[in-house]
Amino acid sequence: MTSAQLTKKFYSVHAWLGLISGVFLLIISLTGTLLVFGPEIDQLLARDKFEVTPAAASARQPLDALVATLHRQYPQGRLVNLRPHPENPALATIAEVQPTAAKTKLQVFLNPYTGAVVATRDKDATLVKTALQLHERLLWKGPGEVLMGLVALALLGATITGLVVYRKSLLKPFSTGIRLDRGLRMTSSDAHKLIGVSTLLFNLMIATTGFLFHADKFTPGHYAAKKKEAAQPKHQLLGQVPAGLDALVARATTQVPGLRAEVVDFPLHQGAARLRVKGNTPASVALLGKHNVEVDLHPVTATVLTVKDVRRAPLGEQLKHVADEIHFGRYGGWPVKALYALLGLMPGLLSVSGFILWKKKPVKKAAPAVRPGRARPAADLLPEVAGAPRARPAGRARPVVPAQA
């Protein structure tokens, strides 16, 4: 197979991968761009829930008082976690509560100074949460996750095959630019090449990390294990949450110098209650996840059970955290988020321009058919010599003209 034939094969694979995954790539692009600024958008749309009038730090209610308020409102509920936001006095304390045996989870916003409930909402009914579920599984738990894993592979394949096809002219799109006066197909072709080359590394990174995010969904027994796990309660009943939460949190923060407690979890570990404090220190690395440090304590004896710092975790676990943070752009502040929001739209634009190229593909004209009938004599097909009489078909005599008298 020649190099030209191989390139043609790669082009066909590139085109079909793009066409098959095009609609899904458009969905991923739009939702991904929104999710880059997910927390900011969520807080902006629900300012009345998130914001409270700040007061002196000494006026904050103890966590026990907030849990007592939750227990009165949800006597049969389970407490998933508390987010006290001590670093921002103008933010409410957010509790995640499972009110009954149902799977529904509520976010309860509490005023940390008065202990009153400010607002509640379904955790999964927000715009940002819906966008996340659409991005990760098309709102279809199970099969949707597998499908999006395959879409990530398709994006990876389309990027690699595109690199092979245009390997000899990677810099040409920068000099050619986008010619707007050459018709829709040529404009789309220029845009497709320029966007593809400009975002090559970004697309490789997003496709690879996106597939790694879904890789466990392809392992045998994954969903059976998840189903079995979901049948067991994971969180403590509100009525069984231990007293003295503030002292327990303080005890956890003394285990790691400089630890700032950001989330207090109430998990059941093998049926036994635990208190888990998650947070960061000044030395935490953003690329290693939202919370670098986890401290587990016994909720009654305050015995420290485990201290986990992802900075000292095995390399494989660290790489998993890095892949998540790289995929969502949560590691470099606003400049990185702005760049991700822009680049995140590019796979969608590639799918649109690729579809236009396919739709506007020139149709090859068929060769004109030979009309049935008597073939011309061979003599008629020969070039005529100047001055020589044209040969006539056999059997046809020249008409005799009678002589004039």
Side-chain angles (χ1 to χ4, degrees), residues 200-391:
L200 176 65
L201 294 179
F202 180 81
N203 289 337
L204 285 173
M205 177 186 67
I206 290 298
T208 302
T209 54
F211 175 73
L212 291 176
F213 186 80
H214 291 286
D216 60 335
K217 314 302 187 301
F218 294 86
T219 57
H222 170 78
Y223 287 103
K226 284 289 184 182
K227 186 176 181 180
K228 183 178 179 180
E229 181 183 336
Q232 304 296 325
K234 297 180 181 179
H235 309 287
Q236 299 173 38
L237 288 166
L238 276 163
Q240 297 175 358
V241 172
L245 284 179
D246 290 278
L248 288 169
V249 172
R251 165 80 167 150
T253 57
T254 61
Q255 301 304 303
V256 180
L259 176 61
R260 182 179 65 252
E262 297 171 356
V263 181
V264 184
D265 280 346
F266 300 87
L268 291 175
H269 180 71
Q270 296 179 352
R274 285 192 174 192
L275 184 76
R276 179 171 295 157
V277 177
K278 299 191 290 189
N280 290 294
T281 70
S284 290
V285 180
L287 268 174
L288 293 178
K290 294 180 183 178
H291 308 109
N292 281 193
V293 180
E294 292 183 3
V295 181
D296 280 14
L297 301 97
H298 192 284
V300 178
T301 66
T303 303
V304 176
L305 302 174
T306 60
V307 177
K308 179 181 176 182
D309 190 335
V310 72
R311 291 173 298 172
R312 300 179 180 86
L315 180 60
E317 184 176 346
Q318 289 183 341
L319 289 177
K320 182 178 179 182
H321 285 286
V322 169
D324 287 347
E325 300 310 303
I326 284 180
H327 188 82
F328 288 103
R330 294 188 295 231
Y331 58 89
W334 279 81
V336 170
K337 287 189 173 187
L339 181 62
Y340 266 62
L342 175 64
L343 295 178
L345 291 172
M346 297 303 108
L349 291 179
L350 285 172
S351 68
V352 172
S353 58
F355 177 77
I356 294 174
L357 288 174
W358 172 77
K359 191 70 176 176
K360 296 290 184 178
K361 183 179 180 180
V363 179
K364 293 183 179 180
K365 294 183 178 180
V370 178
R371 290 184 298 175
R374 188 174 61 182
R376 290 180 61 185
D380 282 0
L381 300 178
L382 296 174
E384 297 183 10
V385 179
R390 183 175 178 180

Side-chain angles (χ1 to χ4, degrees), residues 96-162:
E96 189 173 322
V97 176
Q98 194 171 349
T100 62
K103 294 182 179 180
T104 303
K105 291 180 181 178
L106 299 178
Q107 283 184 320
V108 183
F109 297 82
L110 299 150
N111 188 316
Y113 306 105
T114 66
V117 174
V118 176
T120 62
R121 69 178 183 181
D122 187 334
K123 178 189 174 186
D124 295 328
T126 67
L127 172 66
V128 173
K129 187 66 175 181
T130 301
L132 178 62
Q133 293 179 347
L134 190 61
H135 185 84
E136 293 181 349
R137 61 193 190 201
L138 295 174
L139 306 178
W140 189 14
K141 191 173 182 179
E145 294 168 321
V146 174
L147 179 58
M148 294 310 265
L150 294 175
V151 171
L153 281 180
L155 175 59
L156 183 61
T159 304
I160 293 173
T161 53

Side-chain angles (χ1 to χ4, degrees), residues 23-85:
V23 173
F24 303 110
L25 290 177
L26 188 58
I27 293 172
I28 287 174
S29 291
L30 295 174
T31 54
T33 296
L34 185 148
L35 289 170
V36 168
F37 290 103
E40 293 82 2
I41 293 173
D42 191 31
Q43 190 169 328
L44 180 64
L45 295 178
R47 291 181 61 183
D48 58 322
K49 299 178 177 65
F50 278 91
E51 297 180 0
V52 296
T53 303
S58 59
R60 293 181 76 97
Q61 295 287 310
L63 295 179
D64 291 343
L66 301 183
V67 172
T69 299
L70 294 170
H71 187 211
R72 286 193 298 270
Q73 188 150 346
Y74 306 102
Q76 303 300 318
R78 293 183 180 272
L79 182 57
V80 179
N81 61 51
L82 284 172
R83 297 175 183 267
H85 296 123

Side-chain angles (χ1 to χ4, degrees), residues 158-181:
T159 304
I160 293 173
T161 53
L163 175 61
V164 173
V165 170
Y166 298 106
R167 65 191 182 278
K168 296 181 180 179
S169 56
L170 283 178
L171 299 180
K172 187 177 179 181
F174 295 104
S175 59
T176 303
I178 301 177
R179 294 167 288 186
L180 301 177
D181 57 344

